[in-house]
Amino acid sequence: MDAGEVLRLDREHVWHPYTAVPSGVPVHVVRRAGGVRITLGDGRELIDGMASWWAAIHGHNHPRLNQAARDQIDDMAHVMFGGLTHEPAVRLAHRLAGMTGLDRVFLADSGSVAVEVAIKMAVQYSGRSTLLTVRGGYHGDTFAAMSVCDPVNGMHHLFGGMLPRHVFAPAPPHDYGRRPVGTSPTTPTGPTTPTGPDEAYLAELTAAVEAHADRLAAIIVEPVVQGAGGMRFSHPAYLRRLRDLADEHGILLIADEIATGFGRTGEMFGCDHAGIRPDIMCVGKALTGGYMTLAATLCTARVADRIGVLMHGPTYMGNPLACAVAGASLDLLAERPWREEVARIEAALLDGLAPAAGAPGVRDVRVLGAIGVIETDQPVDVAKIQDIVMGHGVWLRPFGHLIYTMPPYACTPEDVARISAAMVAATAAL
Ligand SMILES: *Cc1c(COP(=O)(O)O)cnc(C)c1O
């Protein structure tokens, strides 16, 4: 098919994320992707500044991941996981347990499903059905996951009638990460991580947990970075406090590491900033290096023992192809100097985004690990911003008040400079 035909049939049949059919916003045909670049139908090459939604950390079309997929497909693409097992799944589970200290692993088919499973674990464990979370979060698009997404930014206005009511503590302050000099006076500025946590916020968080402790099944949060809920970075002390409160009241702590896992924030997991271990953890997105959908929900042996029979079991559970690629992706991660790479990306983003700090229409510029954010005063015009950044050879997908990037770790400082320049150029359109 030529690109025109793809677009014609796309308009006729295909739903894209959060759009109508036909989509009111432009879509672009991708012919191939290799390294950190995607090639469009018209031959244009764009740096994938989104790592295809946080996932393609090693870049696209990686020879090692391709080989893992080929080797596995020659053995088997899939077998059911009920009553059968195989090396790719077991090896991956063993690997994830070693990385997290959480010994029991449920392999799920997407991040949202991993969150559903985490919630089921907490409900089966405690016999309770109320969760506590903080505002500003995002945990996925399925119903239980939606119920703990931010009730204003999320989809509660559409589906509220079907969502259980949970407890929402206030959103954590934006008080972590690094900001280029000259950013908003309302936020800490300067190149170093700011000082202590907000004591008033800690008190609010504590009060919220204490007020509901006797009916909570679990506390569920994204550690340190709230992703799709607003790209907010918050002090690890809040997470540490939640850990302490959970222990004190015998409540489980669920860490949704689907966006933050595997090095994105500069630590292997968001929880590592706080030096804590959750009782239940969800991972996904970068787990397969962006190759295919796979996620996992991990918990301690203590939690698993008390649950006993966990009532979930997807058709494609433990898919061998996805597990083999995930195993290869974790091998690559272990081999690559990701800590230095992420630190280099962080430095390049701080440099590159500095000109946006204080620009008209810009509320805040912030960077943490391989995440760079320009927050705007007004909601952005997505198509207009995309047009500008694509003119700079970069692919981004802004939303709400955010123009942001989380590039593949394989990006060079020059690639990151290019992405940053495109983001800064886009602020001219605000
Ligand atoms: C993306 C995301 C999810 C949902 O994962 P899907 O694979 O899109 O279902 C859940 N939690 C967080 C923190 C995420 O970033």
Side-chain angles (χ1 to χ4, degrees):
M1 279 189 215
D2 63 28
E5 180 72 352
V6 174
L7 283 176
R8 193 183 67 75
L9 293 175
D10 183 280
R11 282 179 61 79
E12 193 169 324
H13 299 296
V14 184
W15 252 303
H16 286 266
Y18 317 107
T19 54
V21 187
S23 164
V25 291
V27 288
H28 307 278
V29 178
V30 179
R31 284 296 184 200
R32 64 184 69 82
V36 303
R37 286 171 169 75
I38 57 184
T39 306
L40 300 187
D42 59 10
R44 268 187 296 173
E45 274 202 352
L46 305 176
I47 301 174
D48 185 359
M50 304 300 289
S52 284
W53 271 342
W54 314 71
I57 53 177
H58 308 296
H60 299 279
N61 214 343
H62 195 286
R64 290 269 295 280
L65 302 185
N66 290 3
Q67 194 58 46
R70 270 189 219 109
D71 291 347
Q72 182 55 46
I73 209 166
D74 286 340
D75 285 341
M76 60 181 158
H78 184 69
V79 290
M80 64 186 281
F81 213 48
L84 300 175
T85 193
H86 43 78
E87 183 174 327
V90 171
R91 206 184 257 285
L92 178 62
H94 181 61
R95 182 69 163 279
L96 288 172
M99 291 173 80
T100 59
L102 298 167
D103 281 335
R104 305 291 193 257
V105 181
F106 187 99
L107 296 167
D109 23 19
S110 73
S112 299
V113 172
V115 170
E116 298 285 325
V117 169
I119 292 172
K120 277 192 179 178
M121 284 179 179
V123 170
Q124 282 196 250
Y125 174 91
S126 65
R128 299 172 179 172
S129 53
T130 302
L131 302 163
L132 181 141
T133 186
V134 293
R135 289 180 182 267
Y138 176 79
H139 296 282
D141 288 352
T142 52
F143 276 88
M146 270 198 299
S147 73
V148 284
C149 290
D150 186 88
V152 180
N153 289 342
M155 292 176 265
H156 291 228
H157 62 291
L158 290 172
F159 303 109
M162 286 188 65
L163 298 179
R165 291 190 191 286
H166 297 303
V167 178
F168 287 89
H174 290 278
D175 55 2
Y176 197 56
R178 288 142 63 91
R179 288 173 166 81
V181 176
T183 316
S184 159
T186 62
T187 53
T189 58
T192 53
T193 299
T195 52
D198 179 336
E199 292 298 329
Y201 181 73
L202 278 169
E204 279 184 290
L205 203 54
T206 305
V209 174
E210 285 176 346
H212 302 279
D214 57 356
R215 62 188 187 99
L216 294 179
I219 298 168
I220 178 168
V221 287
E222 295 158 275
V224 174
V225 175
Q226 292 184 307
M231 306 297 297
R232 304 164 65 93
F233 310 150
S234 61
H235 203 286
Y238 310 135
L239 187 59
R240 261 194 307 271
R241 174 64 60 90
L242 289 175
R243 175 72 279 177
D244 291 345
L245 288 164
D247 287 341
E248 202 177 306
H249 296 283
I251 304 164
L252 297 177
L253 178 65
I254 303 172
D256 179 350
E257 295 264 12
I258 292 166
T260 46
F262 308 114
R264 177 59 64 183
T265 66
E267 297 286 347
M268 183 58 87
F269 295 103
C271 284
D272 297 340
H273 290 264
I276 61 122
R277 192 183 72 174
D279 303 293
I280 299 174
M281 182 191 283
C282 302
V283 293
K285 287 199 162 89
L287 178 60
T288 62
Y291 265 52
M292 50 192 79
T293 180
L294 182 71
T297 312
L298 299 97
C299 71
T300 60
R302 183 180 70 86
V303 169
D305 288 348
R306 183 146 141 198
I307 291 169
V309 177
L310 177 65
M311 290 308 287
H312 208 87
T315 306
Y316 282 93
M317 185 169 179
N319 176 252
L321 261 180
C323 290
V325 173
S329 176
L330 294 180
D331 285 344
L332 267 180
L333 186 63
E335 290 165 29
R336 70 182 316 141
W338 61 267
R339 225 175 249 286
E340 288 77 36
E341 290 173 329
V342 169
R344 269 203 298 277
I345 291 171
E346 182 177 69
L349 286 171
L350 276 169
D351 252 15
L353 296 180
V362 172
R363 184 181 297 166
D364 187 33
V365 180
R366 53 186 179 268
V367 175
L368 179 67
I371 311 170
V373 181
I374 296 175
E375 184 172 336
T376 59
D377 287 328
Q378 300 298 324
V380 296
D381 177 337
V382 176
K384 201 156 139 196
I385 300 280
Q386 277 184 333
D387 205 44
I388 296 173
V389 300
M390 288 172 73
H392 282 72
V394 171
W395 173 249
L396 295 176
R397 183 166 164 94
F399 73 94
H401 292 74
L402 301 165
I403 305 169
Y404 71 108
T405 181
M406 53 269 166
Y409 306 164
C411 274
T412 63
E414 293 71 42
D415 295 329
V416 179
R418 181 106 164 258
I419 295 168
S420 308
M423 291 170 70
V424 170
T427 63
L430 298 177

